[in-house]
Amino acid sequence: DIFPVEAHWSRKSESVKRILETWNVGSDSVVFIDDSPTEVAEVKAAFPEVECIVFPKSDYQGILNLLKHLREVFGKHFLTEDDALRLGSIRNTSEWRDSIESASSSSDDLLRTAEASIVFSLTQESGDARAFELVNKTNQFNLNGKRFSESEWRSISSDPTAFVLSVSYKDKYGHLGTIAVILGRTEGRRLFVHAWVMSCRAFSRRIEHQCLKHLFETLGVDQIVFDYQPTSRNGPVQEFFAQLLGAPPVPGISLSKEEFTCTVPALYHHVEGTISV
């Protein structure tokens, strides 16, 4: 249940750096605990956004308070099937990243042989707990950083033009489970995307391109308008749009089907099917 294991006599900040890279998460999503104030200070200096805590040795109430705090930060009211997949998928993602870095062939060759498959679930219902969680907790590939209350999320079902697209992915390296969610609504031949998130575990697989291709083909729209807003954390989504559009993205960007067809790279996923409700 521990991955990766870091055991050495070097600086703790070196371990933290490698763990952040392996998990591909931001430093603001991490808690570092050590019984040495010196070690805690060293990590805090290297990663100011990491929450660093000195373990309260011999302070039983302090230990209890620490456990309560960790439960508040990391605890969940219930577990989903995707939670059970997470540790294995993190290991598999690390293997995928190692393959990219060490591959002598092109990324296209690696993607072509990955045996990747995607399942799209397009629905007007908003009862998917995993989709709700993903939208509210994803920072890096996040269209605008918006968060939804439970009532706001449930209200999606009352709009006949709205939809929720959930994306599940697997390849020969393993099953990642539900890794992307798109929330939007249609208006004639135009599609408005209000929220779009993708797990950092799914980067570098061109899943985001396949999502757009699916929306164009399934919903029969000619243009997609994105409620894009830059944030301090969503660099990956900024980079994606810059590559796709050939220019830095700005709020209110749009993409036509013709533009997308001209710029989309080769896609090698097997789309297993669309579940419409």
Side-chain angles (χ1 to χ4, degrees), residues 194-206:
H194 303 302
W196 184 9
V197 301
M198 187 172 70
S199 170
C200 56
R201 292 177 289 124
F203 287 176
S204 305
R205 292 170 168 88
R206 299 181 185 172

Side-chain angles (χ1 to χ4, degrees), residues 97-107 110:
R97 202 158 45 244
D98 291 342
S99 298
I100 292 178
E101 294 174 355
S102 62
S104 57
S105 55
S106 67
S107 58
L110 184 61

Side-chain angles (χ1 to χ4, degrees), residues 31-67:
V31 174
F32 174 79
I33 304 170
D34 198 288
D35 63 356
S36 167
T38 302
E39 301 280 16
V40 169
E42 191 269 327
V43 171
K44 189 66 175 178
F47 299 97
E49 292 186 331
V50 170
E51 181 180 357
C52 294
I53 300 173
V54 178
F55 185 78
K57 295 183 292 184
S58 303
D59 179 358
Y60 300 119
Q61 185 59 49
I63 294 172
L64 180 60
N65 292 339
L66 173 60
L67 292 175

